[in-house]
């Protein structure tokens, strides 16, 4: 039986998990920045001007809790429908590249697909202030293109773990790397508020986009599609991964044609997982996209409170991801 490889801190698969974690931190920082920036980008509306349900200070029926909006950066007179279109346009592109992303990862590997997906989003994030200045159609198109880039990230990473993660380590490695999504949201929202207050909302996009470009350079230099092609992996670790992966492979590569699509479509477990994931995403992305604007326009919180309160609801998601990832590993041993 092959050894498990060097100490975990020297393991290439652990390095991959950490870089993937940072990649998803960038993915979600790039995704959520507009939700907070929108609060500062839109021309403030006076209380009760177009909505009768704003919260007011106790004992004062006319004064709102806060209507402060940072003045750094241009503001736009977008109504609620336009704001919803801009915020939602990201997902028009995001949904399109999910299935193609999985197919491309299976064919060409996930390294470049994941990296270019993040880079694409970073580049269009850097262009977002210019797109907003050019008008709503250009901004919507920019957000759609960002979604097209990010849509391949999760399928690409799943594809990489099919060749990098030994079966009994898979839940731990995958759950840690994907936890970057929650961590990116948790830090991205308050950082967006601080950056807006200090520098102006355009710098949210410049700073987050620049960080993602730097991550892309590290990813391309340090990561490879397979253990066999990695320059930094030890022979001991490579042999261990290949030995463990051979136990669950019959040697026949998975292709589009030999995938049992009908059996998958008939599987109750597949539909249960799909339904659960759909319900989670519905609630999560509704909060992620709409809650900052709701807190500002209806609850009349200022930008700093908006960017600080919302991440508190996400800490439990990140905690549960690690908790149930390890629980799944234990169940795998028991079964």
């Amino acid at each position: 039986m092959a050894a498990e490889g060097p100490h975990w801190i020297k393991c290439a698969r652990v390095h991959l998990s950490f870089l993937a974690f940072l990649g998803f931190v960038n993915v979600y920082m790039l995704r959520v920045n507009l939700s907070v920036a929108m609060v500062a980008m839109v021309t403030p509306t006076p209380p009760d001007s177009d909505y009768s349900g704003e919260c007011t200070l106790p004992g004062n029926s006319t004064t709102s809790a806060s209507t402060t909006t940072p003045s750094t950066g241009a503001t736009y007179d977008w109504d609620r429908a336009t704001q919803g279109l801009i915020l939602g346009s990201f997902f028009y592109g995001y949904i399109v590249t999910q299935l193609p992303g999985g197919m491309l990862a299976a064919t060409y590997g996930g390294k470049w697909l994941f990296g270019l997906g993040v880079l694409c989003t970073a580049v269009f994030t850097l262009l977002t202030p210019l797109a907003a200045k050019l008008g709503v159609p250009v901004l919507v198109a920019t957000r759609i293109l960002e979604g097209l880039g990010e849509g391949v990230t999760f399928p690409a990473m799943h594809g990489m773990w099919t060749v990098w993660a030994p079966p009994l380590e898979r839940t731990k490695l995958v759950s840690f790397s994907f936890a970057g999504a929650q961590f990116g949201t948790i830090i991205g929202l308050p950082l967006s508020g601080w950056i807006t207050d200090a520098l102006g909302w355009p710098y949210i996009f410049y700073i987050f986009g620049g960080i993602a470009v730097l991550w892309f350079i590290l990813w391309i230099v340090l990561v490879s599609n397979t253990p066999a092609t990695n320059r930094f992996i030890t022979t001991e670790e490579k042999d261990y991964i290949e030995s463990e992966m051979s136990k669950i492979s019959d040697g026949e590569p998975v292709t589009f044609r030999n995938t049992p699509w009908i059996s998958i479509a008939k599987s109750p477990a597949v539909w249960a997982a799909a339904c659960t994931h759909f319900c989670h995403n519905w609630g999560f992305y509704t909060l992620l996209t709409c809650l900052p604007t709701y807190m500002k326009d209806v609850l009349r919180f200022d930008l700093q409170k908006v960017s600080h309160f919302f991440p508190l609801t996400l800490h439990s998601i990140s905690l549960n991801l690690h908790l149930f990832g390890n629980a799944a590993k234990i169940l795998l041993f028991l079964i």
Side-chain angles (χ1 to χ4, degrees), residues 144-209:
I144 291 174
L145 292 171
E146 287 183 38
L148 288 171
E150 276 202 21
V152 303
T153 53
F154 277 93
M157 203 63 239
H158 279 296
M160 290 200 70
W161 284 127
T162 60
V163 296
W164 269 98
L168 296 181
E169 298 179 18
R170 186 164 296 171
T171 53
K172 183 180 295 185
L173 291 169
V174 172
S175 61
F176 177 76
S177 60
F178 288 167
Q182 281 69 46
F183 189 73
T185 305
I186 289 168
I187 67 172
L189 289 168
L191 281 176
S192 296
W194 292 331
I195 293 169
T196 300
D197 278 348
L199 302 171
W201 66 260
Y203 285 89
I204 298 175
F205 303 102
Y206 298 147
I207 293 173
F208 287 4

Side-chain angles (χ1 to χ4, degrees), residues 173-245:
L173 291 169
V174 172
S175 61
F176 177 76
S177 60
F178 288 167
Q182 281 69 46
F183 189 73
T185 305
I186 289 168
I187 67 172
L189 289 168
L191 281 176
S192 296
W194 292 331
I195 293 169
T196 300
D197 278 348
L199 302 171
W201 66 260
Y203 285 89
I204 298 175
F205 303 102
Y206 298 147
I207 293 173
F208 287 4
I211 291 172
V213 171
L214 293 176
W215 170 88
F216 170 77
I217 296 172
L218 288 175
W219 176 262
I220 294 304
V221 171
L222 299 176
V223 171
S224 63
N225 279 321
T226 66
T229 58
N230 190 276
R231 294 176 294 167
F232 307 102
I233 194 172
T234 64
T235 302
E236 183 184 11
E237 183 185 5
K238 180 173 70 70
D239 291 343
Y240 167 69
I241 294 174
E242 291 177 348
S243 173
E244 291 299 304
M245 298 303 292

Side-chain angles (χ1 to χ4, degrees), residues 45-52 54 80 300:
T45 57
D48 300 317
S49 63
D50 62 348
Y51 185 76
S52 60
E54 291 98 340
R80 298 184 194 280
R300 294 292 170 178

Side-chain angles (χ1 to χ4, degrees), residues 26-92:
N26 279 286
V27 163
Y28 272 74
M29 287 174 63
L30 297 173
R31 186 179 302 192
V32 305
N33 52 21
L34 185 61
S35 296
V36 175
M38 183 68 73
V39 175
M41 293 171 71
V42 176
T43 304
T45 57
D48 300 317
S49 63
D50 62 348
Y51 185 76
S52 60
E54 291 98 340
C55 294
T56 57
L57 287 173
N60 188 337
S61 60
T62 60
T63 304
S64 63
S66 174
T67 57
T68 302
T69 301
S71 59
T72 48
T75 57
Y76 303 95
D77 190 20
W78 295 331
D79 60 22
R80 298 184 194 280
T82 301
Q83 293 176 50
L85 174 64
I86 294 169
L87 289 169
S89 58
F90 171 91
F91 299 98
Y92 303 156

